[in-house]
Amino acid sequence: MYTDTDRCVRAVQSKDARFDGWFFTAVLTTRIYCRPSCPAVPPKVENMTFLPSAAACQQAGFRACKRCRPDTSPGSPEWNARADAVARAMRLIQDGVVDREGVPGLAARLGYSTRQVERQLNAELGAGPLALARAQRAQTARLLIETSELPMGDVAFAAGFSSIRTFNDTVREVFALAPGELRQRAEKAGRHHPKVPGTIALRLPYRAPLNPDNLFGHLAATAVPGVEEWRAGAYRRTLRLPYGTGVVSLTPQPDHIGCQLALTDLRDLTIAISRCRWMLDLDADPEAVDEQLRGDPLLAPLVDKAPGRRVPRTVDAAEFAVRAVLGQQVSTAAARTHAARLVTAHGEPVADPDPEGGLTHLFPSPQALAGLDPQSLALPRTRRTTLTTLVSALADGSLPLGIDSDWEAARARLNALPGFGPWTTEVIAMRALGDPDAFLPSDLGVRRAAKELGLPSTPVALTARAAGWRPWRAYAVQYLWATDDHAINHLPV
């Protein structure tokens, strides 16, 4: 995208917010970089250069615009739509792997050498993994500065900086303001809203349009008691994070998602934000998705009626895989009941920061479930075997599932497990691994919707017809599901 100069110039001159996150505009005269939709008067064309990431801008000596705050723009949708090494690396960096494990840890997860990872990221993003992680630390620091009352020393270490001096230098370099000045500006602008200790309030941006009905409706309708709940217009759930635990509250708003995070360790802030964005599919490009799906005349009316549907995902791939097995061939209510029993018996207790909240546990980890007695499960014998085999593979690491998974390799491993058919494998690929082209042609709701629309309703024929929907078949499933009056398609009252 950023190499197409004419297209980038048109986006900047029209202040097109759809391109925020796709590229950044660096102004050669002022040494400032902006998002395409910056409200300031666009610079002369000859003074513009375009870069693929905020890290590349910072590495080239540009500082963030104080007006459009480009570091807070949505992430590039490319990292959600691709499964190559660069996309997987970006998802891992956003999840804090470089800060926790260093570049060697990132490379090991990808199966490449550190030199190969450096070369590929520099070639495509204009910055290596350390620079990309540094840019993310700067953004986290800004959030903590503007939304909390933490002392600056605590902010520095919570954001992942090794020293206060490095923190101060980075903030000044990236934002052209000292940390204290950033906090003062936030207070004057009304962005500083300190909550109870340990709670951070922020906005999660997204590309419009976004239809919250199926997104939050699905999460609320399938919520596991004690782990998730819908209350007071917000979806709330517990989080298992690298340094501790957390509770998040997510509220759909017209131009953003309101997010409140209560963390036992503020070093988890970046990871928690990344996982919430991933769960809500906030970095998607709805214009590209809907344009492709409108190409099918039978699907177009569904898209035009309620554009901007997202794929509801998960914050924990292993958790979702277990829940997918529990949900095989049973109703949504029955699946919730089975999951709630596991939570009560094997989940880790947590304290809900809201005294009126109903969150009590983390969903049990694969290690906690590895020793469960199959006879204690109120499931058919074959499904007990499926569940215990899955849990064992997740616990011993022979089935790695996560945002960095190779989608086809993960499918092959899942299909090799007893009791795993196309539906279970594809729903995990869709909602846990984030494959935008995962497809469920055998799903009863999909087949019913297809028949009502005049689409082929047999799995083989529907798959053939859906070739024209690629690479966005997972989004087509959301539009097809939305034809039903099921609770997953409606925001709770």
Side-chain angles (χ1 to χ4, degrees), residues 5-341:
T5 301
D6 291 340
R7 191 179 181 193
C8 290
V9 168
R10 289 196 300 272
V12 171
Q13 292 178 336
S14 62
K15 305 184 188 300
D16 196 333
R18 294 177 301 171
F19 294 96
D20 288 355
W22 276 104
F23 69 90
F24 295 84
T25 306
V27 185
L28 299 174
T29 50
T30 61
R31 307 302 295 176
I32 289 173
Y33 73 94
C34 303
R35 62 171 78 194
S37 64
C38 182
V41 176
K44 295 179 179 179
V45 174
E46 59 267 25
N47 293 330
M48 297 185 202
T49 187
F50 305 104
L51 295 169
S53 66
C57 295
Q58 294 168 19
Q59 191 162 272
F62 296 91
R63 64 183 186 275
C65 174
K66 297 174 185 176
R67 190 167 181 184
C68 72
R69 297 161 55 88
D71 55 303
T72 63
S73 62
S76 172
E78 285 193 271
W79 316 136
N80 286 347
R82 290 165 42 183
D84 55 50
V86 171
R88 292 165 59 205
M90 284 301 298
R91 293 197 287 268
L92 284 169
I93 292 170
Q94 290 167 356
D95 201 52
V97 167
V98 171
D99 287 334
R100 297 194 304 274
E101 304 173 20
V103 179
L106 173 67
R109 286 180 178 240
L110 296 171
Y112 289 92
S113 69
T114 56
R115 182 177 296 180
Q116 287 174 306
V117 172
E118 292 268 6
R119 184 169 60 247
Q120 291 185 54
L121 288 173
N122 272 297
E124 187 156 344
L125 290 159
L130 288 177
L132 291 162
R134 176 180 180 267
Q136 185 162 276
R137 283 195 296 274
Q139 182 180 353
T140 301
R142 183 173 196 161
L143 281 172
L144 287 170
I145 290 168
E146 294 184 341
T147 63
S148 78
E149 293 182 322
L150 286 174
M152 292 304 174
D154 292 346
V155 170
F157 293 113
F161 289 95
S162 58
S163 71
I164 296 176
R165 180 177 179 177
T166 303
F167 159 72
N168 286 329
D169 291 345
T170 300
V171 171
R172 287 193 183 96
E173 180 183 338
V174 173
F175 304 115
L177 290 169
E181 293 173 313
L182 271 180
R183 180 164 285 177
Q184 290 173 5
R185 284 173 60 92
E187 290 171 348
K188 291 178 181 178
R191 292 193 300 267
H192 188 68
H193 301 292
K195 302 291 180 180
V196 296
T199 299
I200 304 296
L202 58 140
R203 296 183 173 198
L204 303 182
Y206 57 76
R207 292 177 185 83
L210 180 143
N211 188 317
D213 294 359
N214 75 300
L215 180 59
F216 284 92
H218 206 126
L219 294 171
T222 60
V224 177
V227 176
E228 305 165 283
E229 68 175 0
W230 178 269
R231 193 173 64 78
Y235 167 75
R236 304 178 72 241
R237 71 155 292 150
T238 59
L239 302 170
R240 186 188 306 278
L241 298 164
Y243 297 106
T245 63
V247 170
V248 65
S249 176
L250 297 162
T251 308
Q253 301 290 353
D255 60 350
H256 68 277
I257 303 296
C259 175
Q260 289 193 20
L261 281 162
L263 305 172
T264 58
D265 192 318
L266 285 175
R267 290 178 295 175
D268 284 321
L269 177 61
T270 301
I271 299 95
I273 293 171
S274 175
R275 292 183 184 179
C276 290
R277 293 191 64 82
W278 172 262
M279 176 175 64
L280 300 181
D281 196 15
L282 296 186
D283 291 325
D285 183 354
E287 294 281 349
V289 173
D290 290 352
E291 181 181 1
Q292 179 77 12
L293 298 183
R294 283 191 182 97
D296 189 314
L298 296 181
L299 205 58
L302 297 182
V303 178
D304 292 335
K305 180 181 178 181
R309 293 194 182 274
R310 301 299 207 270
V311 177
R313 295 179 182 159
T314 180
V315 294
D316 188 322
E319 172 191 318
F320 185 82
V322 170
R323 291 171 61 173
V325 170
L326 294 175
Q328 287 177 332
Q329 300 177 346
V330 298
S331 67
T332 299
R336 294 179 67 204
T337 299
H338 290 315
R341 289 172 181 163

